[in-house]
Amino acid sequence: MDTNWPTENWHSIGDISDIPLRGARCVRTPQGKIAVFRTAENEIFAIEDHCPHKGGPLSQGIVHGTAVTCPLHNWVISLETGKALGADDGAVRTIPVRNDGGALFIALESLMIAAE
Amino acid sequence: MAHQTPEKLVIVGNGMAPGRMLEELFEKAKGRYDVTIFNAEPRVNYDRIMLSPVLSGEKAYTDIVIHDDAWYATNGVTLHKGAKVAQIDRAARTVTAENGITATYDKLVIATGSSPFIIPVPGHQLPGVLAYRDLDDVEKMLAGSRDGGRAIVIGAGLLGLEAAYGLKRQGMDVTVIHLMPTIMERQLDPAAAYLLEKALTERGIEIVTKANTKRILGETKVEGIELEDGRIIGGSMVVMAVGIRPASNLAKEAGIAVNRGIVVDDGMMTSDAAVYALGECAEHRGTCYGLVAPLYESARVLADRLAGGEAEYHGSVTNTKLKVTGINLFSAGDFADGEGREEIVLRDATAGVYKRLVLRDNRIIGAVLYGETSDGSWFFDLMKKGADITAMRETLIFGQAYQGGSPLDPTAAVAALPDDAEICGCNGVCKGKIVATITGKGLTSLDEVRAHTKASASCGSCTGLVEQVMSLTLGEAYNPAAVQPMCTCTELGHDDVRRLIKAKGLKTIPAVMQELEWKTSCGCAKCRPALNYYLVSDWPDEYADDYQSRFINERVHANIQKDGTYSVVPRMWGGVTNSGELRAIADVVDKFEIPMVKVTGGQRIDLLGIEKEDLPAVWADLGKAGFVSGQAYAKGLRTVKTCVGSDWCRFGTQDSTGLGIRIEKFMWGSWTPAKLKLAVSGCPRNCAEATCKDIGVICVDSGFEIHFAGAAGLDIKGTEVLGLVRTEDEALEHIVALTQMYREQARYLERIYKWTKRIGVEEIRRQIMDDAERRKAFFDRFVFSQKFAQVDPWSERVSGKDKHEFRPMATVGFSQAAE
């Protein structure tokens, strides 16, 4: 996890228990929807909620291992890298997440906020 | 980085050659062109050489699609389907389709393919005279074959024989008429032709050689043909497979140089420097090609040229394989007798093997193999390279395994192939590339190898070779004989998993994964929904449904749409509604500003474009009017479509509406392996279209005829008759028992018609119609499971279940900007 990120850019998004195991929730930001995932192993990942294939909402997909399958056309996206797995090519942006004993934060780039 | 405006590339034709060309072009120069394709056929690019397996029923159309709609979208290609180009204006650089669509081009590729040649004998325009060229022809043949009778195929070339075999497989009697003394004379010498003719005759296909068609008989449709010698052959279908000619008219009318085909140079350029021709319509150095391998080679050259390269096409040596199951046939090159030519022949009558190599100057120039063709690619390789075979002449005909005294291992031949030996002729993939891709990307299955290398992804006849390369590369890790596993998480197939869940009493997904040694920690999007279904089906009272293993539609009880909104379909029992319900729907549409209201094929109303957050409120309002979920999203019972029956219709024999509603109220909420759609028609006029449903009922005076295993989607198939029962009660019991049998035995996502095809109509009739005890047991198990299933999912969520699904977790980052 990127701990050098300036503290003012960490945004509280809620508690880990708000997200079902092997599930996801959405966070609305000025940069679009962000999907926050909780794996079977209690790891937390955040990526853009926008499949590189046709923009499907990845937060609605089935979560398995550290990947999610897009509900529209079954692309499998790695939650760790944001890259499409298998024979498909494409990537989504990953967003830094911090888990402080269950309290979750995501980092939004300050530049993007200022531009709003 | 400066972006140049993309040039406009227009392609006329959407066959395999331009499809391949685009793949190569996008690899080399993505973004350089804005691509527009005009396709006269109303569909995407499919594998035309696989039409024969579609005709014979060994494959479905979906199996042979090369580029689906998503591919065009992803690559930004504009595809005009069903748009036949009528005119090219070279001065203005535009093409115009018959339907009026016009596009301008900087570069134009003509890839119009070829047209089947129809012999202009009297009667050639009668309905029932077909060509064999595209999917429409196959569909016409399949439709014609349903009534049985005799099909007459004119022309015993590659296509004609494949058509004959396919029609025979579809249950028709088949006679093949051929002008020449031996069949496939362009690819086979007389000895191999004899063996092939014998094998086809043994399969029940009648072959008449030296037969010239005089006319086709019939007044309003085909009734037979008359030969020049006066013989008459009766039949209800005539398939002409006497050859093709390049479709070059469009180019000719535009003033482009045309000989037999559209004349191109080594860079595939026509007489107009902005216009290229590719595929069967092109003529290169006096030759028009009709096989896929040379077309793919020239497609590669054209892609390079369009990307700014200078590749050249120098013509191709071709080989042929016949796609008739159980007949192995390979031919390549020139095998006519002639001065300065020698031949080596091997015959083994008991094994039905015939091999002949034609040599000139100690080099192979032709090869015909019948019965045993595994050395075909090796001979072909030697031939293409012009290798001097003097040193191995004595043992050459025995094949590669005999060279250099190496042991007779079945894979030794493949092991001995050099890296540049071609394995897949269609796609021009060599052994080295397959090996490198397997090791580089860690591939383990044939499907993966196909996806990444394209090897064996076209006609499939090299599948065995590709598997041998995989065995050699992967060793023990590759086991081609195994059942198709459920997914990459397990070696087990669906049937084994279902059996073991029952046998071992496994009642949770983690238990299944542990006991059956899953290779992943928590499965994947393929196996988890399947396992969840199997457990729901097998342990209805004990298993706790795992929502995180359900597809989003079944998790939020609505249908996700392409833009991420949802559609909602309330249940209308038997398709019957009233003013109160319609008013409630109208109010919901207004209140939530629902952008689209659509009547469905299942006799109910679809509300589209609803935001996910609004779903519970929409359901709350619908619920107040008495609506429950229509489960239009479920792998489960969808609708029971009805006609108005004896209550209203002057032809109605029974209360079809009432029975439909009764069935729907009995069965709603049940999960099934795939969606389940029913219909009840009140008389054999069948207004509810019950004979293409998963289960259908046709009411008659004497009772209820129960149908099942119909399809009207990707496949079209009329139903099978389960049997006739006397009363409504019996009808319900039989339908419910059949559904339960399907629920317990089918594989996840397997529609009832596919399951039926796999286990047989007779077996289902035996268990449901003939075995009353078993039927009753099925019925009772269904009734038991319904106790846990008939809970309206919408009202549960209105009451607060799964709240988290419908709300964003947080909204962040807006505050600074807003203030």
Side-chain angles (χ1 to χ4, degrees), chain A residues 8 11-15 18-30 33 36 40-41 53-54 57 59-65 69-72 74 86-87 104 106 108 113 116, chain B residues 69-71 73-74 451-452 509 521-525 528-529 546 548-552 555-556 560-564 566 611-613 803-805 807-814 816-817:
Chain A
E8 64 268 27
H11 296 264
S12 165
I13 54 168
D15 192 80
D18 295 338
I19 311 174
L21 275 173
R22 298 170 302 153
R25 297 283 300 270
C26 284
V27 175
R28 286 188 172 148
T29 79
K33 275 189 189 168
V36 185
E41 313 286 336
H53 175 220
K54 293 252 182 124
S59 57
Q60 317 289 293
I62 290 179
V63 181
H64 44 93
T69 297
C70 178
L72 292 194
N74 296 324
L104 303 182
I106 57 169
L108 293 180
I113 295 167
E116 234 335 83
Chain B
D69 287 313
W71 184 86
T74 308
H452 285 279
I509 289 180
S521 63
C522 80
C524 71
R528 286 236 309 273
D546 176 23
Q548 297 310 126
S549 294
R550 283 194 179 273
F551 183 63
I552 184 67
R555 223 183 313 145
V556 301
I560 194 165
Q561 304 297 319
K562 61 185 280 190
D563 62 353
Y566 287 81
E611 294 297 332
K612 194 181 184 192
E613 289 92 279
K803 282 202 291 285
H804 64 84
E805 279 287 4
R807 292 180 196 161
M809 184 179 187
T811 300
V812 299
F814 288 96
Q816 294 98 321

Side-chain angles (χ1 to χ4, degrees), chain B residues 755-771:
Chain B
W755 167 69
T756 303
K757 190 171 169 190
R758 191 159 59 76
I759 71 163
V761 175
E762 281 311 313
E763 179 59 22
I764 295 170
R765 276 200 204 113
R766 189 182 69 73
Q767 297 200 24
I768 303 297
M769 293 305 295
D770 306 342
D771 188 340

Side-chain angles (χ1 to χ4, degrees), chain B residues 708-752:
Chain B
F708 71 110
L714 284 173
D715 292 315
I716 299 190
K717 183 182 168 302
T719 45
E720 306 287 344
V721 177
L722 182 67
L724 180 76
V725 297
R726 225 165 22 81
T727 66
E728 258 193 23
D729 288 351
E730 286 173 293
L732 184 71
E733 182 180 306
H734 283 74
I735 289 166
V736 166
L738 169 62
T739 304
Q740 182 64 17
M741 179 178 174
Y742 166 59
R743 273 156 52 101
E744 291 177 10
Q745 298 183 5
R747 299 169 188 165
Y748 188 62
L749 298 186
E750 185 175 50
R751 291 289 290 268
I752 205 165

Side-chain angles (χ1 to χ4, degrees), chain B residues 475-492:
Chain B
E476 300 260 306
Y478 181 62
N479 177 11
V483 264
Q484 180 69 40
M486 262 176 84
C487 62
T488 51
C489 302
T490 176
E491 304 292 343
L492 298 169

